[in-house]
Each structure stands twice: as structure tokens, then as C-alpha cells.
Amino acid sequence: VLLVVLVLLIIIAVVLGVTLTGRQSAGLKTDFLNRCQNFKGYDCENIWKTFKQVFVNRDPCNVSEEAYDPLIAAVPFKRLCNQTMLWSKTNKAVHELTTGRDCLQTIEDTVLGSSLNNLSWCGMKGSEETFTTGCPEWNECVNNSVRSFWRRASAAFAEAACGDVSVMLNGSISTPFNPTSVFASIEVPRLNSTKVKSLNIVLVTNSVSNCSNASLQSLKTKLDQRIVYTCKEVTESQITDCSAKPDCGRCW
Ligand code: APR
């Protein structure tokens, strides 16, 4: 019996070892560095180390937003006047517009946002490795390594906004301004009227919602009252046309 138990234990250990090794990721570092190095003037190796320290050897559901403070401090968002582009439920359209043009910047166009966009990462208690698979889903636990990063980074990105700020919202859904979104819960409360002059909604619409939508009225009331609110309905094809124009004049 003892022998059988011993053999079983060995098998379990081997299977566990193989699984863990399989989940380890060298790709995360490579992806991170390759993306980071597209930006001039950053010490990407050092940024990687600071980033990694936040979540390695930790339970992936126990990484707080504050844990990313050292990373944000190491790579602060530059104060961005008249160029900040926020968004909610318009991932594709907004990046079609901002990619390759400097006049409007989403968080995904910054060095940190770009280096981590669409990646999944987490650590594991008792291991120094980084993992890209088997990490918690966005809503699986509140303090997961990925969600905490985007929430912390979005707060800093909104705090860096200044002048005229834009936000692209989705008019093909009935609640373009959703109180649970990162935009509503993290970014709007951090737009500070001492720096931000106006918030300009670009509502991408195919007629489900327009600028008189109830959720947008509630956005107006949530906004610092000294910030000017504007709303403009645009079509997908206007965005496509505008994306093709290299200059940064107003498209609508
Ligand atoms: N599952 C996975 N990812 C999610 C989820 C989810 N349930 N919810 C949000 N995300 C992540 C994804 O990376 C997604 O692309 O947040 C991104 C945006 O989610 P949306 O619901 O479309 O919008 P919102 O929550 O408002 O976040 C966008 O946050 O990062 C900032 O500046 C950015 O203004 C932008 C806003």
C-alpha cells in the first residue's frame, strides 16, 4: 500500500510540475519588451522589473490597485492637453481613429497601455514565474492582477487629462454611459475642473441611442459642473473617413 501511495504521489508531482511549466510564460516578457521598445526614451527592462514585482509570487486574486503605484510612479502619464481620448464599449472604433495619429491618445496609445493591451498576466503564490494562461477572468475576483492594473492606470490617465477631453461612447446600446464601466466609475470622477475645460462626447450611433439618451443626461450631472459638456453624434463611416486623414483637424 505504501508503495502504491508513493507511486501515486510521484505521478501527481510530475503531472503538476508539467502543468505548471506549461503555464509559465516567457512570451509575456518578450511581448512587453517588444511593445515598450516601440517608444523612445524608456528603460523598458526596468519598467518590466517594476511591473513584474507587482504580481509575481502573489495570489492572482490578491493584487490591489495600489500595488501598481510603483509602476505608475516609474512611468507617469504625461500631462496631455486637448488630446486625451477616453472610451467605453467602443474599443475597435476608438483605436481605429487614434492608432498612428498623435492628436488623440487613448490609454492604449501610451507606453504602459500599449505594452499591456490585450494581454493577460498573473503570478502564483510560491513561484517566481509569470503566467499568461489560467489567470482569473476580469470579473472572477475584484483584485485580480489584470483588472487592478487597468483600474489603477485609468485613474492616473484621467488625472493626467487637461484642456478639452474627448470620450467615444457607443450609441448602438441603450446605456452608452454605464455606471459600472471604468469610464464612469474611475475616470469621470477624476476629471478635475482646475485642469479640464470640457468633456466632449463622440457618440458612435446607428440610431439606438442619441445625445438625449437618459444615461448621457446622468453623465452630465455626474461631471464636475465647471466642466463644459458637449455631445456629438457620429456614424461609423465618419470615423472611418476621419481615420484615413493624417492631419489632426476636426473631423466633425
Ligand atoms: N472582461 C474582460 N475585460 C474587460 C471587462 C470584462 N468583463 N470589462 C472591461 N474590460 C476591459 C477590457 O480590456 C476592455 O477592452 O476593459 C476594457 C474596456 O471595457 P469597456 O466596458 O468597453 O469600457 P470601460 O469599462 O469604460 O473602460 C474603458 O477605461 O482604460 C480606460 O481610458 C480607458 O476610457 C477607457 C475606459
CSV table of all heavy atoms in Angstrom, one decimal, residues 51-105:
chain,number,residue,atom,x,y,z
A,51,PHE,N,7.1,46.2,-13.1
A,51,PHE,CA,5.8,45.6,-13.4
A,51,PHE,C,5.6,44.2,-12.8
A,51,PHE,O,4.7,43.9,-12.1
A,51,PHE,CB,5.6,45.6,-14.9
A,51,PHE,CG,4.4,44.7,-15.4
A,51,PHE,CD1,3.1,45.0,-15.1
A,51,PHE,CD2,4.7,43.6,-16.2
A,51,PHE,CE1,2.1,44.2,-15.5
A,51,PHE,CE2,3.6,42.8,-16.7
A,51,PHE,CZ,2.3,43.1,-16.3
A,52,LYS,N,6.7,43.4,-13.1
A,52,LYS,CA,6.6,42.0,-12.6
A,52,LYS,C,6.6,41.9,-11.1
A,52,LYS,O,5.8,41.0,-10.6
A,52,LYS,CB,7.9,41.4,-13.2
A,52,LYS,CG,8.0,39.9,-13.1
A,52,LYS,CD,9.3,39.4,-13.7
A,52,LYS,CE,9.8,38.3,-12.8
A,52,LYS,NZ,11.0,37.6,-13.4
A,53,GLN,N,7.3,42.8,-10.4
A,53,GLN,CA,7.3,42.7,-9.0
A,53,GLN,C,5.9,42.9,-8.3
A,53,GLN,O,5.7,42.5,-7.2
A,53,GLN,CB,8.2,43.8,-8.4
A,53,GLN,CG,9.7,43.3,-8.2
A,53,GLN,CD,10.6,44.5,-8.0
A,53,GLN,OE1,10.2,45.6,-7.6
A,53,GLN,NE2,11.9,44.2,-8.2
A,54,VAL,N,5.0,43.6,-9.1
A,54,VAL,CA,3.7,43.8,-8.5
A,54,VAL,C,2.9,42.5,-8.3
A,54,VAL,O,2.2,42.4,-7.3
A,54,VAL,CB,2.9,44.7,-9.5
A,54,VAL,CG1,1.5,44.9,-9.0
A,54,VAL,CG2,3.6,46.1,-9.7
A,55,PHE,N,3.1,41.6,-9.2
A,55,PHE,CA,2.2,40.4,-9.1
A,55,PHE,C,2.9,39.0,-9.0
A,55,PHE,O,2.2,38.1,-8.7
A,55,PHE,CB,1.3,40.4,-10.4
A,55,PHE,CG,2.0,40.2,-11.7
A,55,PHE,CD1,2.2,39.0,-12.2
A,55,PHE,CD2,2.5,41.3,-12.4
A,55,PHE,CE1,2.8,38.8,-13.4
A,55,PHE,CE2,3.2,41.2,-13.6
A,55,PHE,CZ,3.3,39.9,-14.1
A,56,VAL,N,4.2,38.9,-9.2
A,56,VAL,CA,4.8,37.6,-9.0
A,56,VAL,C,4.8,37.1,-7.6
A,56,VAL,O,4.8,38.0,-6.7
A,56,VAL,CB,6.2,37.4,-9.6
A,56,VAL,CG1,6.3,37.5,-11.1
A,56,VAL,CG2,7.2,38.4,-8.9
A,57,ASN,N,4.7,35.9,-7.4
A,57,ASN,CA,4.7,35.3,-6.1
A,57,ASN,C,3.5,35.7,-5.2
A,57,ASN,O,3.5,35.9,-4.0
A,57,ASN,CB,6.0,35.6,-5.3
A,57,ASN,CG,6.2,34.5,-4.2
A,57,ASN,OD1,5.3,33.7,-3.9
A,57,ASN,ND2,7.4,34.6,-3.7
A,58,ARG,N,2.4,36.1,-5.9
A,58,ARG,CA,1.2,36.5,-5.2
A,58,ARG,C,0.0,35.7,-5.7
A,58,ARG,O,-0.1,35.3,-6.9
A,58,ARG,CB,0.9,38.0,-5.5
A,58,ARG,CG,1.9,39.0,-5.0
A,58,ARG,CD,1.4,40.4,-5.1
A,58,ARG,NE,0.4,40.6,-4.0
A,58,ARG,CZ,0.5,41.5,-3.1
A,58,ARG,NH1,1.6,42.2,-3.0
A,58,ARG,NH2,-0.4,41.6,-2.2
A,59,ASP,N,-1.0,35.6,-4.9
A,59,ASP,CA,-2.3,35.1,-5.3
A,59,ASP,C,-2.8,36.0,-6.4
A,59,ASP,O,-2.9,37.2,-6.2
A,59,ASP,CB,-3.2,35.0,-4.1
A,59,ASP,CG,-4.6,34.5,-4.4
A,59,ASP,OD1,-5.0,34.7,-5.5
A,59,ASP,OD2,-5.2,34.0,-3.5
A,60,PRO,N,-3.2,35.5,-7.6
A,60,PRO,CA,-3.7,36.4,-8.7
A,60,PRO,C,-4.9,37.1,-8.4
A,60,PRO,O,-5.3,38.1,-9.0
A,60,PRO,CB,-3.9,35.4,-9.9
A,60,PRO,CG,-3.9,34.0,-9.3
A,60,PRO,CD,-3.1,34.1,-8.0
A,61,CYS,N,-5.7,36.7,-7.3
A,61,CYS,CA,-6.9,37.5,-6.9
A,61,CYS,C,-6.6,38.4,-5.8
A,61,CYS,O,-7.5,39.0,-5.2
A,61,CYS,CB,-8.0,36.5,-6.5
A,61,CYS,SG,-8.8,35.8,-8.0
A,62,ASN,N,-5.3,38.6,-5.4
A,62,ASN,CA,-5.0,39.4,-4.3
A,62,ASN,C,-4.0,40.5,-4.7
A,62,ASN,O,-3.0,40.7,-4.0
A,62,ASN,CB,-4.5,38.5,-3.2
A,62,ASN,CG,-4.4,39.3,-1.8
A,62,ASN,OD1,-5.0,40.4,-1.7
A,62,ASN,ND2,-3.7,38.7,-0.9
A,63,VAL,N,-4.2,41.1,-5.8
A,63,VAL,CA,-3.3,42.2,-6.2
A,63,VAL,C,-4.2,43.5,-6.3
A,63,VAL,O,-5.1,43.6,-7.1
A,63,VAL,CB,-2.8,41.9,-7.7
A,63,VAL,CG1,-1.9,43.1,-8.1
A,63,VAL,CG2,-2.0,40.6,-7.7
A,64,SER,N,-3.9,44.4,-5.4
A,64,SER,CA,-4.7,45.6,-5.2
A,64,SER,C,-4.4,46.6,-6.3
A,64,SER,O,-3.3,46.5,-6.9
A,64,SER,CB,-4.6,46.2,-3.9
A,64,SER,OG,-3.2,46.7,-3.7
A,65,GLU,N,-5.2,47.6,-6.5
A,65,GLU,CA,-4.9,48.7,-7.4
A,65,GLU,C,-3.7,49.4,-6.9
A,65,GLU,O,-2.8,49.8,-7.7
A,65,GLU,CB,-6.1,49.6,-7.5
A,65,GLU,CG,-7.3,49.0,-8.2
A,65,GLU,CD,-8.6,49.9,-8.2
A,65,GLU,OE1,-8.4,51.1,-8.1
A,65,GLU,OE2,-9.7,49.3,-8.1
A,66,GLU,N,-3.6,49.6,-5.6
A,66,GLU,CA,-2.4,50.4,-5.1
A,66,GLU,C,-1.1,49.7,-5.3
A,66,GLU,O,-0.1,50.3,-5.3
A,66,GLU,CB,-2.6,50.6,-3.6
A,66,GLU,CG,-3.8,51.4,-3.2
A,66,GLU,CD,-5.1,50.7,-3.3
A,66,GLU,OE1,-5.2,49.5,-3.0
A,66,GLU,OE2,-6.1,51.3,-3.8
A,67,ALA,N,-1.2,48.3,-5.4
A,67,ALA,CA,0.1,47.6,-5.7
A,67,ALA,C,0.8,48.1,-6.9
A,67,ALA,O,2.0,47.9,-7.1
A,67,ALA,CB,-0.3,46.1,-5.8
A,68,TYR,N,0.0,48.7,-7.9
A,68,TYR,CA,0.6,49.2,-9.1
A,68,TYR,C,1.1,50.6,-9.0
A,68,TYR,O,1.7,51.1,-9.9
A,68,TYR,CB,-0.4,49.1,-10.3
A,68,TYR,CG,-0.6,47.7,-10.8
A,68,TYR,CD1,-1.7,46.9,-10.4
A,68,TYR,CD2,0.3,47.1,-11.7
A,68,TYR,CE1,-1.8,45.6,-10.9
A,68,TYR,CE2,0.2,45.9,-12.2
A,68,TYR,CZ,-0.9,45.1,-11.8
A,68,TYR,OH,-1.0,43.8,-12.3
A,69,ASP,N,1.0,51.2,-7.8
A,69,ASP,CA,1.5,52.6,-7.6
A,69,ASP,C,3.0,52.7,-8.1
A,69,ASP,O,3.3,53.7,-8.8
A,69,ASP,CB,1.4,53.0,-6.1
A,69,ASP,CG,-0.1,53.3,-5.8
A,69,ASP,OD1,-0.9,53.3,-6.7
A,69,ASP,OD2,-0.3,53.6,-4.6
A,70,PRO,N,3.9,51.8,-7.7
A,70,PRO,CA,5.3,52.0,-8.1
A,70,PRO,C,5.4,51.9,-9.6
A,70,PRO,O,6.3,52.6,-10.1
A,70,PRO,CB,6.0,50.8,-7.4
A,70,PRO,CG,5.1,50.3,-6.3
A,70,PRO,CD,3.7,50.6,-6.8
A,71,LEU,N,4.6,51.2,-10.3
A,71,LEU,CA,4.7,51.1,-11.7
A,71,LEU,C,4.3,52.4,-12.3
A,71,LEU,O,4.9,53.0,-13.2
A,71,LEU,CB,3.9,50.0,-12.3
A,71,LEU,CG,3.8,49.8,-13.8
A,71,LEU,CD1,5.2,49.5,-14.4
A,71,LEU,CD2,2.8,48.8,-14.3
A,72,ILE,N,3.1,53.0,-11.8
A,72,ILE,CA,2.6,54.2,-12.3
A,72,ILE,C,3.6,55.4,-12.0
A,72,ILE,O,3.8,56.3,-12.8
A,72,ILE,CB,1.2,54.5,-11.7
A,72,ILE,CG1,0.2,53.4,-12.0
A,72,ILE,CG2,0.7,55.9,-12.2
A,72,ILE,CD1,-0.1,53.2,-13.5
A,73,ALA,N,4.3,55.3,-10.9
A,73,ALA,CA,5.2,56.3,-10.5
A,73,ALA,C,6.5,56.2,-11.4
A,73,ALA,O,7.1,57.2,-11.7
A,73,ALA,CB,5.6,56.1,-9.0
A,74,ALA,N,6.8,55.0,-11.8
A,74,ALA,CA,8.0,54.8,-12.6
A,74,ALA,C,7.7,55.3,-14.1
A,74,ALA,O,8.7,55.7,-14.8
A,74,ALA,CB,8.4,53.3,-12.6
A,75,VAL,N,6.5,55.1,-14.5
A,75,VAL,CA,6.1,55.5,-15.9
A,75,VAL,C,4.9,56.4,-15.8
A,75,VAL,O,3.8,56.1,-16.3
A,75,VAL,CB,5.8,54.3,-16.8
A,75,VAL,CG1,6.0,54.6,-18.2
A,75,VAL,CG2,6.6,53.1,-16.4
A,76,PRO,N,5.1,57.7,-15.3
A,76,PRO,CA,3.9,58.5,-15.1
A,76,PRO,C,3.3,58.9,-16.5
A,76,PRO,O,4.0,59.0,-17.5
A,76,PRO,CB,4.4,59.7,-14.4
A,76,PRO,CG,5.9,59.7,-14.6
A,76,PRO,CD,6.3,58.3,-14.9
A,77,PHE,N,2.0,59.1,-16.5
A,77,PHE,CA,1.3,59.6,-17.8
A,77,PHE,C,1.7,61.0,-17.9
A,77,PHE,O,1.5,61.8,-16.9
A,77,PHE,CB,-0.2,59.3,-17.7
A,77,PHE,CG,-0.6,57.9,-17.8
A,77,PHE,CD1,-1.0,57.2,-16.6
A,77,PHE,CD2,-0.5,57.2,-18.9
A,77,PHE,CE1,-1.3,55.9,-16.6
A,77,PHE,CE2,-0.9,55.8,-19.0
A,77,PHE,CZ,-1.3,55.2,-17.8
A,78,LYS,N,2.1,61.4,-19.1
A,78,LYS,CA,2.4,62.8,-19.3
A,78,LYS,C,1.1,63.6,-19.3
A,78,LYS,O,0.1,63.1,-19.8
A,78,LYS,CB,3.1,63.0,-20.6
A,78,LYS,CG,4.5,62.3,-20.7
A,78,LYS,CD,5.2,62.5,-22.0
A,78,LYS,CE,6.6,61.8,-21.9
A,78,LYS,NZ,6.9,61.1,-23.1
A,79,ARG,N,1.2,64.8,-18.8
A,79,ARG,CA,0.0,65.7,-18.8
A,79,ARG,C,-0.4,65.9,-20.3
A,79,ARG,O,0.4,66.4,-21.1
A,79,ARG,CB,0.2,67.0,-18.1
A,79,ARG,CG,-1.0,67.9,-18.3
A,79,ARG,CD,-0.7,69.2,-17.6
A,79,ARG,NE,-0.8,69.1,-16.2
A,79,ARG,CZ,-1.4,69.9,-15.4
A,79,ARG,NH1,-1.9,71.0,-15.8
A,79,ARG,NH2,-1.3,69.8,-14.1
A,80,LEU,N,-1.6,65.6,-20.6
A,80,LEU,CA,-2.0,65.5,-22.0
A,80,LEU,C,-3.1,66.5,-22.2
A,80,LEU,O,-4.2,66.3,-21.8
A,80,LEU,CB,-2.5,64.1,-22.3
A,80,LEU,CG,-2.4,63.6,-23.7
A,80,LEU,CD1,-0.9,63.7,-24.2
A,80,LEU,CD2,-2.9,62.2,-23.8
A,81,CYS,N,-2.7,67.7,-22.8
A,81,CYS,CA,-3.8,68.7,-23.0
A,81,CYS,C,-4.4,68.6,-24.4
A,81,CYS,O,-3.7,68.6,-25.4
A,81,CYS,CB,-3.2,70.1,-22.8
A,81,CYS,SG,-2.6,70.3,-21.1
A,82,ASN,N,-5.7,68.6,-24.4
A,82,ASN,CA,-6.5,68.6,-25.6
A,82,ASN,C,-6.4,67.3,-26.5
A,82,ASN,O,-6.7,67.3,-27.6
A,82,ASN,CB,-6.2,69.8,-26.5
A,82,ASN,CG,-6.3,71.1,-25.7
A,82,ASN,OD1,-7.2,71.2,-24.8
A,82,ASN,ND2,-5.4,72.0,-25.9
A,83,GLN,N,-5.8,66.3,-25.9
A,83,GLN,CA,-5.5,65.1,-26.7
A,83,GLN,C,-6.1,63.8,-26.1
A,83,GLN,O,-6.0,62.8,-26.7
A,83,GLN,CB,-4.0,64.9,-26.9
A,83,GLN,CG,-3.4,66.0,-27.8
A,83,GLN,CD,-1.9,65.8,-27.9
A,83,GLN,OE1,-1.3,64.7,-27.5
A,83,GLN,NE2,-1.2,66.8,-28.4
A,84,THR,N,-6.5,63.9,-24.8
A,84,THR,CA,-7.0,62.7,-24.1
A,84,THR,C,-8.3,62.2,-24.8
A,84,THR,O,-9.2,62.9,-24.9
A,84,THR,CB,-7.2,63.0,-22.7
A,84,THR,OG1,-6.0,63.4,-22.1
A,84,THR,CG2,-7.7,61.7,-21.9
A,85,MET,N,-8.2,60.9,-25.1
A,85,MET,CA,-9.4,60.3,-25.6
A,85,MET,C,-9.8,59.1,-24.7
A,85,MET,O,-9.1,58.1,-24.6
A,85,MET,CB,-9.1,59.8,-27.1
A,85,MET,CG,-10.3,59.0,-27.7
A,85,MET,SD,-11.8,59.9,-27.9
A,85,MET,CE,-11.9,60.2,-29.6
A,86,LEU,N,-10.9,59.2,-24.0
A,86,LEU,CA,-11.4,58.1,-23.2
A,86,LEU,C,-12.5,57.4,-24.1
A,86,LEU,O,-12.9,57.9,-25.1
A,86,LEU,CB,-12.1,58.7,-21.9
A,86,LEU,CG,-11.1,59.7,-21.2
A,86,LEU,CD1,-11.9,60.3,-20.0
A,86,LEU,CD2,-9.9,58.9,-20.7
A,87,TRP,N,-12.9,56.3,-23.6
A,87,TRP,CA,-13.9,55.5,-24.4
A,87,TRP,C,-14.6,54.5,-23.5
A,87,TRP,O,-14.1,54.1,-22.4
A,87,TRP,CB,-13.2,54.8,-25.5
A,87,TRP,CG,-12.0,53.9,-25.1
A,87,TRP,CD1,-10.7,54.2,-24.9
A,87,TRP,CD2,-12.1,52.4,-24.9
A,87,TRP,NE1,-10.0,53.1,-24.5
A,87,TRP,CE2,-10.8,52.0,-24.5
A,87,TRP,CE3,-13.1,51.5,-25.0
A,87,TRP,CZ2,-10.5,50.7,-24.2
A,87,TRP,CZ3,-12.9,50.2,-24.7
A,87,TRP,CH2,-11.6,49.8,-24.4
A,88,SER,N,-15.7,54.0,-24.0
A,88,SER,CA,-16.4,52.9,-23.3
A,88,SER,C,-17.2,52.1,-24.3
A,88,SER,O,-18.0,52.7,-25.1
A,88,SER,CB,-17.3,53.5,-22.2
A,88,SER,OG,-17.7,52.5,-21.3
A,89,LYS,N,-17.0,50.8,-24.4
A,89,LYS,CA,-17.7,49.9,-25.4
A,89,LYS,C,-17.5,50.4,-26.8
A,89,LYS,O,-18.3,50.2,-27.6
A,89,LYS,CB,-19.2,49.9,-25.0
A,89,LYS,CG,-19.5,49.3,-23.6
A,89,LYS,CD,-19.3,47.8,-23.5
A,89,LYS,CE,-19.7,47.3,-22.2
A,89,LYS,NZ,-18.7,47.6,-21.1
A,90,THR,N,-16.3,51.0,-27.1
A,90,THR,CA,-16.0,51.4,-28.5
A,90,THR,C,-14.6,51.0,-28.8
A,90,THR,O,-13.9,51.7,-29.6
A,90,THR,CB,-16.2,52.9,-28.7
A,90,THR,OG1,-15.4,53.6,-27.7
A,90,THR,CG2,-17.6,53.3,-28.6
A,91,ASN,N,-14.1,49.9,-28.2
A,91,ASN,CA,-12.7,49.5,-28.4
A,91,ASN,C,-12.2,49.6,-29.8
A,91,ASN,O,-11.1,50.2,-30.1
A,91,ASN,CB,-12.5,48.1,-27.8
A,91,ASN,CG,-11.1,47.7,-27.6
A,91,ASN,OD1,-10.2,48.4,-28.1
A,91,ASN,ND2,-10.9,46.7,-26.8
A,92,LYS,N,-13.0,49.0,-30.7
A,92,LYS,CA,-12.5,48.9,-32.1
A,92,LYS,C,-12.5,50.3,-32.8
A,92,LYS,O,-11.5,50.8,-33.3
A,92,LYS,CB,-13.4,48.0,-32.9
A,92,LYS,CG,-12.8,47.5,-34.2
A,92,LYS,CD,-13.5,46.3,-34.7
A,92,LYS,CE,-13.3,46.2,-36.2
A,92,LYS,NZ,-14.3,47.0,-37.0
A,93,ALA,N,-13.6,51.0,-32.7
A,93,ALA,CA,-13.7,52.3,-33.4
A,93,ALA,C,-12.7,53.3,-32.8
A,93,ALA,O,-12.1,54.1,-33.6
A,93,ALA,CB,-15.2,52.8,-33.2
A,94,VAL,N,-12.6,53.4,-31.6
A,94,VAL,CA,-11.7,54.4,-31.0
A,94,VAL,C,-10.3,54.2,-31.4
A,94,VAL,O,-9.6,55.2,-31.7
A,94,VAL,CB,-11.9,54.6,-29.4
A,94,VAL,CG1,-11.2,53.4,-28.7
A,94,VAL,CG2,-11.4,55.9,-29.0
A,95,HIS,N,-9.9,53.0,-31.5
A,95,HIS,CA,-8.5,52.7,-31.8
A,95,HIS,C,-8.2,52.8,-33.3
A,95,HIS,O,-7.1,53.1,-33.7
A,95,HIS,CB,-8.0,51.4,-31.2
A,95,HIS,CG,-8.0,51.5,-29.7
A,95,HIS,ND1,-8.8,50.7,-28.9
A,95,HIS,CD2,-7.3,52.3,-28.9
A,95,HIS,CE1,-8.6,51.1,-27.6
A,95,HIS,NE2,-7.7,52.1,-27.6
A,96,GLU,N,-9.3,52.6,-34.1
A,96,GLU,CA,-9.2,52.8,-35.5
A,96,GLU,C,-8.8,54.3,-35.7
A,96,GLU,O,-8.0,54.7,-36.5
A,96,GLU,CB,-10.5,52.5,-36.1
A,96,GLU,CG,-10.5,52.7,-37.7
A,96,GLU,CD,-11.9,52.4,-38.2
A,96,GLU,OE1,-12.7,51.7,-37.6
A,96,GLU,OE2,-12.2,52.9,-39.3
A,97,LEU,N,-9.5,55.1,-34.9
A,97,LEU,CA,-9.3,56.6,-35.0
A,97,LEU,C,-7.9,57.1,-34.5
A,97,LEU,O,-7.3,57.9,-35.0
A,97,LEU,CB,-10.4,57.3,-34.3
A,97,LEU,CG,-10.4,58.8,-34.4
A,97,LEU,CD1,-10.7,59.2,-35.9
A,97,LEU,CD2,-11.5,59.4,-33.5
A,98,THR,N,-7.5,56.5,-33.4
A,98,THR,CA,-6.3,57.1,-32.7
A,98,THR,C,-5.0,56.4,-33.2
A,98,THR,O,-3.9,57.0,-33.1
A,98,THR,CB,-6.4,57.0,-31.2
A,98,THR,OG1,-6.4,55.6,-30.8
A,98,THR,CG2,-7.6,57.7,-30.6
A,99,THR,N,-5.0,55.2,-33.6
A,99,THR,CA,-3.8,54.5,-34.0
A,99,THR,C,-3.0,55.2,-35.1
A,99,THR,O,-3.6,55.5,-36.2
A,99,THR,CB,-4.1,53.0,-34.4
A,99,THR,OG1,-4.7,52.4,-33.3
A,99,THR,CG2,-2.8,52.2,-34.6
A,100,GLY,N,-1.8,55.5,-34.9
A,100,GLY,CA,-1.0,56.1,-35.9
A,100,GLY,C,-1.2,57.6,-36.1
A,100,GLY,O,-0.6,58.2,-37.0
A,101,ARG,N,-2.0,58.2,-35.2
A,101,ARG,CA,-2.1,59.7,-35.2
A,101,ARG,C,-1.8,60.2,-33.8
A,101,ARG,O,-2.2,59.5,-32.8
A,101,ARG,CB,-3.5,60.1,-35.6
A,101,ARG,CG,-4.0,59.5,-36.9
A,101,ARG,CD,-5.5,59.4,-36.9
A,101,ARG,NE,-6.0,60.5,-37.7
A,101,ARG,CZ,-6.9,61.3,-37.2
A,101,ARG,NH1,-7.4,61.2,-36.0
A,101,ARG,NH2,-7.4,62.3,-38.0
A,102,ASP,N,-1.1,61.3,-33.7
A,102,ASP,CA,-0.7,61.7,-32.4
A,102,ASP,C,-1.7,62.7,-31.7
A,102,ASP,O,-1.6,63.0,-30.6
A,102,ASP,CB,0.7,62.5,-32.5
A,102,ASP,CG,1.8,61.4,-32.7
A,102,ASP,OD1,1.6,60.3,-32.3
A,102,ASP,OD2,2.8,61.8,-33.3
A,103,CYS,N,-2.7,63.1,-32.5
A,103,CYS,CA,-3.5,64.2,-32.0
A,103,CYS,C,-4.5,63.7,-30.9
A,103,CYS,O,-4.8,64.5,-30.0
A,103,CYS,CB,-4.3,64.9,-33.1
A,103,CYS,SG,-4.9,63.7,-34.3
A,104,LEU,N,-4.9,62.5,-30.9
A,104,LEU,CA,-5.7,62.0,-29.9
A,104,LEU,C,-5.1,60.7,-29.3
A,104,LEU,O,-4.6,59.9,-30.1
A,104,LEU,CB,-7.1,61.6,-30.4
A,104,LEU,CG,-8.0,62.7,-30.8
A,104,LEU,CD1,-9.3,62.2,-31.5
A,104,LEU,CD2,-8.4,63.6,-29.6
A,105,GLN,N,-5.1,60.6,-28.0
A,105,GLN,CA,-4.4,59.5,-27.4
A,105,GLN,C,-5.3,58.7,-26.4
A,105,GLN,O,-5.9,59.3,-25.5
A,105,GLN,CB,-3.2,59.9,-26.6
A,105,GLN,CG,-1.9,59.7,-27.3
A,105,GLN,CD,-0.7,59.7,-26.3
A,105,GLN,OE1,-0.9,59.4,-25.2
A,105,GLN,NE2,0.4,60.1,-26.9
